[in-house]
Amino acid sequence: MNLISRHFQLTAQRGAFELRRGSRLTTMPKANQVLVRMGAASLNYRDLLTLQDPSVNRDGLIPLSDGAGTVMAVGAGVTRWKAGDRVSVNFFPTWLRGAFAPSALATALGGGETDGMLSDYVVADTNSLVPIPEHLSLAEAATLPCAAVTAWHALFERGQLQPGETVLVQGTGGVALFGLQLAAAHGAKVIVTSSSEEKLARAKALGAWKTINYDLQPAWDKAAMDFTEGRGVDHILELGGPQTYDKSIAAVAPGGRIAQIGVLTGFASQPNILPLQFKNASIHGICVGSVEHFEHLNQFMSMHRIHPVIDTAFAFDDVPAAYAHLQSAGHFGKLVVNLN
Ligand SMILES: NC(=O)c1ccc[n+]([C@@H]2O[C@H](COP(=O)([O-])OP(=O)(O)OC[C@H]3O[C@@H](n4cnc5c(N)ncnc54)[C@H](OP(=O)(O)O)[C@@H]3O)[C@@H](O)[C@H]2O)c1
């Protein structure tokens, strides 16, 4: 089978990377591998960082960790998957279950040393795959591997979220809206912050309990304390970094949990963590998740018939426009690229 696969790849250019279109012959799956015809891929904030960061040599790397597709062929010894199965590849193909091993970092799709999903065909190890929930299209499923698994890992695997507890998510990007949808489906009360009144109205329609415009109300930690009658928030998805951290610590409830996830306002957070001691509260470091976390997420998505929020679906030719839209932060939820 001679299959030509289109892709975009990163090309080193003036201290950063540019996206360059290309194509190549698809390799066939070896033992314990499958060949996947990709239906869609999806973008994350990380993909902007990957493009802008010259400190790692990613010349020639195919970007994007997230995608979904259909198995076309299987290698020798593969019994778990067959042609026609709809699958996604886990963000860390080698983190299957249990404790995280730092060696998995280099295998992270589309950012470390391993090609990502912005390609017509992908060859993946059988153990790195998860089946796609039946109620989801390939475009919807393509949004899950990074943002949704991260929100799931933070709130359910590590956070042990309980119905009736409070959750705060920062902004209305991918991780935040999955946090909202998953927590609301579980019966939690979710506070959403955003710079946009229009986006906050949409968050309300998705099930947000309370909303705060962080531009109009920079002291959103105080608003969160008011909403919770002075108790604080049980689970906070810390997505902002330097500009949000102290407020997250101020707003977290006694015994509460801050999930350390994001760097939207930079990398060098230096929060005063002493208040956590006097609240018996914790910070959980979260780095996406394992294949097992992804499987648990998909069970929950199926049980609650949750559909990811897709802001815009771009054609393959319009990949640069998709990156530009992500950079503008005008999106609500996820951006996807259709690959068929
Ligand atoms: N640790 C991990 O495993 C992991 C996994 C996934 C993502 N992340 C990180 O998590 C963050 C979110 O990723 P994403 O892909 O969901 O991003 P995204 O979709 O690009 O979200 C962007 C949105 O973040 C909001 N935002 C920006 N600055 C903010 C601030 N100061 N306060 C509150 N909200 C702010 C804005 O929402 P409004 O327009 O509504 O204001 C913006 O539209 C990124 O830093 C990413 O690198 C980490």
Side-chain angles (χ1 to χ4, degrees), residues 45 150 172-175 194-195 199 214 261 263-264 286-288 331:
Y45 188 79
T150 299
T172 56
V175 177
S194 173
S195 56
K199 290 179 178 181
Y214 63 81
I261 296 173
V263 292
L264 287 165
I286 301 292
C287 200
V288 197
H331 59 289

Side-chain angles (χ1 to χ4, degrees), residues 3-335:
L3 294 170
I4 301 292
S5 182
R6 300 169 305 163
H7 60 252
F8 275 85
Q9 62 190 147
L10 305 184
T11 307
Q13 212 63 252
R14 292 183 295 279
F17 295 97
E18 280 182 6
L19 290 162
R20 187 165 296 174
R21 219 182 134 139
S23 61
R24 64 188 178 199
L25 204 57
T26 302
T27 57
M28 286 299 119
K30 302 193 183 87
N32 299 316
Q33 290 183 326
V34 302
L35 174 67
V36 182
R37 172 69 172 101
M38 301 305 294
S42 150
L43 282 77
N44 292 280
Y45 188 79
R46 166 185 185 256
D47 301 310
L48 295 176
L49 301 175
T50 301
L51 204 59
Q52 292 156 0
D53 171 18
S55 69
V56 178
N57 181 10
R58 302 189 174 97
D59 204 23
L61 187 84
I62 295 176
L64 304 194
S65 57
D66 292 10
T70 308
V71 173
M72 273 204 70
V74 301
V78 177
T79 53
R80 191 171 162 216
W81 307 104
K82 60 180 188 320
D85 286 347
R86 299 186 326 142
V87 293
S88 289
V89 190
N90 195 48
F91 181 97
F92 291 117
T94 59
W95 187 13
L96 305 185
R97 52 191 46 78
F100 181 69
S103 58
L105 288 171
T107 72
L109 298 171
E113 297 162 11
T114 311
D115 278 340
M117 298 288 120
L118 192 44
S119 178
D120 284 328
Y121 295 93
V122 164
V123 174
D125 287 345
T126 51
N127 290 339
S128 68
L129 300 174
V130 297
I132 289 172
E134 274 178 24
H135 73 290
L136 297 184
S137 67
L138 290 182
E140 289 173 322
T143 67
L144 301 180
C146 181
V149 172
T150 299
W152 171 266
H153 180 191
L155 291 171
F156 290 83
E157 306 283 348
R158 298 284 288 288
Q160 295 294 307
L161 178 69
Q162 300 299 317
E165 287 187 326
T166 50
V167 173
L168 183 142
V169 300
Q170 297 168 351
T172 56
V175 177
L177 286 197
F178 278 120
L180 163 60
Q181 289 181 288
L182 296 171
H186 198 54
K189 298 187 283 187
V190 186
I191 303 170
V192 179
T193 73
S194 173
S195 56
S196 155
E197 289 297 316
E198 189 238 324
K199 290 179 178 181
L200 287 175
R202 293 175 71 184
K204 266 265 180 198
L206 262 185
W209 173 54
K210 304 283 183 191
T211 60
I212 307 170
N213 185 320
Y214 63 81
D215 273 352
L216 302 179
Q217 235 176 325
W220 54 260
D221 49 327
K222 296 195 172 51
M225 291 303 279
D226 289 345
F227 288 146
T228 55
E229 294 168 356
R231 192 177 162 273
V233 182
D234 297 309
H235 303 259
I236 297 181
L237 299 192
E238 191 6 83
L239 304 178
Q243 286 175 28
T244 53
Y245 229 115
D246 284 312
K247 289 172 191 161
S248 292
I249 289 172
V252 75
R257 298 158 170 104
I258 295 172
Q260 160 55 43
I261 296 173
V263 292
L264 287 165
T265 68
F267 291 87
S269 292
Q270 293 186 321
N272 174 14
I273 56 173
L274 192 64
L276 295 176
Q277 175 180 328
F278 300 108
K279 298 189 194 187
N280 283 292
S282 351
I283 296 178
H284 291 171
I286 301 292
C287 200
V288 197
S290 66
V291 170
E292 187 176 46
H293 294 157
F294 201 167
E295 289 167 348
H296 292 168
L297 163 74
N298 280 342
Q299 285 160 13
F300 187 89
M301 298 280 296
S302 298
M303 188 165 66
H304 294 278
R305 311 286 294 178
I306 296 171
H307 288 273
V309 179
I310 295 179
D311 176 281
T312 312
F314 292 85
F316 180 78
D317 290 342
D318 296 329
V319 162
Y323 273 76
H325 193 43
L326 187 68
Q327 176 86 56
S328 76
H331 59 289
F332 180 83
K334 298 297 300 178
L335 305 180

